[in-house]
Amino acid sequence: MADAKVIPFDDDRSRSGGLPRAARRRPPVRGTGSVSALPGQPDASPPPGEPQEGPREAGAGPVGAERGGWDRRIAGGLAFLRRRVTGEYDVDEFGYDEELTDQVLMSLLRPVYEKYFRVEVKGVENIPAEGGALIVSNHSGALPLDGLMLQVAVHDHHPAGRHLRLLAADLVFMLPVVNELARKAGHTLACAEDAERLLRDGEVVGVMPEGFKGLGKPFGERYKLQRFGRGGFVSTALKAGVPIVPCSIVGAEEIYPMVGNSKTLARLLGFPYFPITPTFPWLGPLGAVPLPTKWTIQFGEPIPTDGYPLEAAEDPMLMFNLTDQVREQIQHTLYKLLVQRRSVFF
């Protein structure tokens, strides 16, 4: 994979990229033996012919269920640690560690997804239950949190329990720690060869063609889609014969209202942009905390590509038309969701 020629999706890719509800209390269980009533007390024996309940089994009831639940969690956690220590877990050729993603990474992202951004998901059933599919989404928010929330949405809400494999910018794989975590979570370099291999293997692949142009756009241009490059993602979908699923994300634009861009600092740090927001860098690390906006993620109707001939992937006019169709569908859905939204935060 290291020798594969990297073909970006667009010309800016090189710059981008518990228990159940409490059980009702049961009435007291009558004894099974014949018990003489105390003086002045009614007979505790059940009337003749009434079925008699036996003694409760050890561990029965809410307390026993809770203890059993914790026992199973502890046993599962110890088994997970043993497999990590002994190396008895699977990693695919791209570095994707499904067990670590399910058990750890999704568990860390889920509170942010459910409690902080309170993400609402619509149309997730438009993602095929099996086979490859390419999800194309808008990109925004200064930091790529929208990609992570999109991954949780597919993982937690799809009826078939599918996993999303995101295509990330090369900058992601140049950062220490982030590089390793991205690989473990199933992300791979945004190049046509890797994307096509994943799609042919029946994976759900996610791409955000706006790249850093979308992430780093000023707050005044929020929810206005940037250029989708040259339509490389359409060519990949055509070659693999998989449907394209447009996806619109509302809420990410406001987590870091970008009112300025320090190009000098960006050049010094090797970043495509250096965001300036009302809180960052003025409040230091505290200013890097995203605003708790309310998110909506909507998956649109899939656009089939399997009906085109093999040479269609080389037809620039067809790729332009399909790219424009996907872009227009995402933009239209964004406007519709914005009209329906009552508040940025509620």
Side-chain angles (χ1 to χ4, degrees):
M1 199 172 87
D3 296 332
K5 180 181 178 182
V6 175
I7 302 178
F9 277 100
D10 59 81
D11 55 352
D12 289 304
R13 200 275 311 153
S14 59
R15 301 188 294 275
S16 73
L19 295 172
R21 296 175 60 186
R24 295 179 181 272
R25 188 178 298 277
R26 297 193 298 175
V29 180
R30 293 192 175 114
T32 56
S34 176
V35 181
S36 300
L38 297 175
Q41 297 289 335
D43 189 356
S45 302
E50 181 177 332
Q52 301 181 10
E53 297 187 35
R56 291 189 185 183
E57 297 180 2
V63 176
E66 183 176 1
R67 184 182 301 120
W70 277 108
D71 289 345
R72 286 191 296 271
R73 293 179 186 178
I74 294 173
L78 292 175
F80 171 78
L81 291 176
R82 180 185 61 80
R83 289 192 296 273
R84 309 312 294 186
V85 172
T86 59
E88 298 176 4
Y89 57 91
D90 296 325
V91 177
D92 72 6
E93 58 182 319
F94 296 95
Y96 174 46
D97 190 333
E98 183 176 346
E99 183 185 47
L100 182 69
T101 300
D102 290 344
Q103 300 292 331
V104 179
L105 301 181
M106 288 295 108
S107 298
L108 294 175
L109 292 173
R110 194 168 289 119
V112 180
Y113 175 93
E114 294 179 348
K115 306 298 183 183
Y116 198 77
F117 293 133
R118 295 147 290 146
V119 182
E120 179 183 359
V121 179
K122 300 179 180 180
V124 70
E125 66 279 359
N126 287 322
I127 302 173
E130 57 184 15
L134 183 65
I135 296 178
V136 182
S137 173
N138 60 307
H139 206 15
S140 62
L143 292 180
L145 296 180
D146 51 357
L148 298 177
M149 297 301 103
L150 181 61
Q151 189 175 13
V152 179
V154 175
H155 182 277
D156 285 5
H157 295 280
H158 194 276
R162 306 215 63 180
H163 293 74
L164 179 64
R165 309 291 294 271
L166 284 169
L167 302 178
D170 49 2
L171 178 62
V172 172
F173 301 102
M174 295 169 59
L175 299 174
V177 181
V178 175
N179 168 34
E180 187 67 20
L181 288 176
R183 290 288 185 187
K184 294 290 187 182
H187 306 173
T188 190
L189 190 65
C191 68
E193 288 89 348
D194 286 0
E196 188 175 344
R197 288 169 63 190
L198 287 170
L199 291 171
R200 291 188 183 278
D201 289 342
E203 300 285 353
V204 178
V205 177
V207 62
M208 296 173 165
E210 291 178 281
F212 284 129
K213 299 188 304 293
L215 276 179
K217 66 175 177 285
F219 188 67
E221 298 180 15
R222 60 192 180 278
Y223 299 114
K224 295 178 181 178
L225 291 181
Q226 304 299 299
R227 191 170 60 88
F228 268 23
R230 300 172 182 173
F233 68 91
V234 172
S235 176
T236 302
L238 287 168
K239 291 178 181 178
V242 300
I244 299 173
V245 182
C247 177
S248 303
I249 302 176
V250 165
E253 295 273 15
E254 294 91 358
I255 60 173
Y256 294 112
M258 189 168 165
V259 296
N261 175 21
S262 177
K263 296 182 179 180
T264 302
L265 283 175
R267 282 194 301 269
L268 290 175
L269 297 173
F271 295 159
Y273 58 88
F274 188 88
I276 297 176
T277 74
T279 59
F280 182 82
W282 325 115
L283 299 182
L286 184 62
V289 177
L291 297 178
T293 58
K294 175 75 171 62
W295 288 32
T296 301
I297 299 177
Q298 179 160 335
F299 299 94
E301 291 287 338
I303 300 172
T305 64
D306 54 354
Y308 294 95
L310 294 177
E311 61 273 15
E314 308 299 329
D315 185 348
M317 186 56 66
L318 175 62
M319 286 195 295
F320 175 81
N321 290 336
L322 285 176
T323 301
D324 193 56
Q325 180 182 351
V326 174
R327 188 179 182 279
E328 287 299 319
Q329 188 167 337
I330 295 173
Q331 185 70 81
H332 176 74
T333 304
L334 286 175
Y335 288 149
K336 184 174 67 174
L337 292 174
L338 288 172
V339 170
Q340 296 172 354
R341 184 172 68 168
R342 294 176 298 173
S343 169
V344 173
F345 298 100
F346 304 103

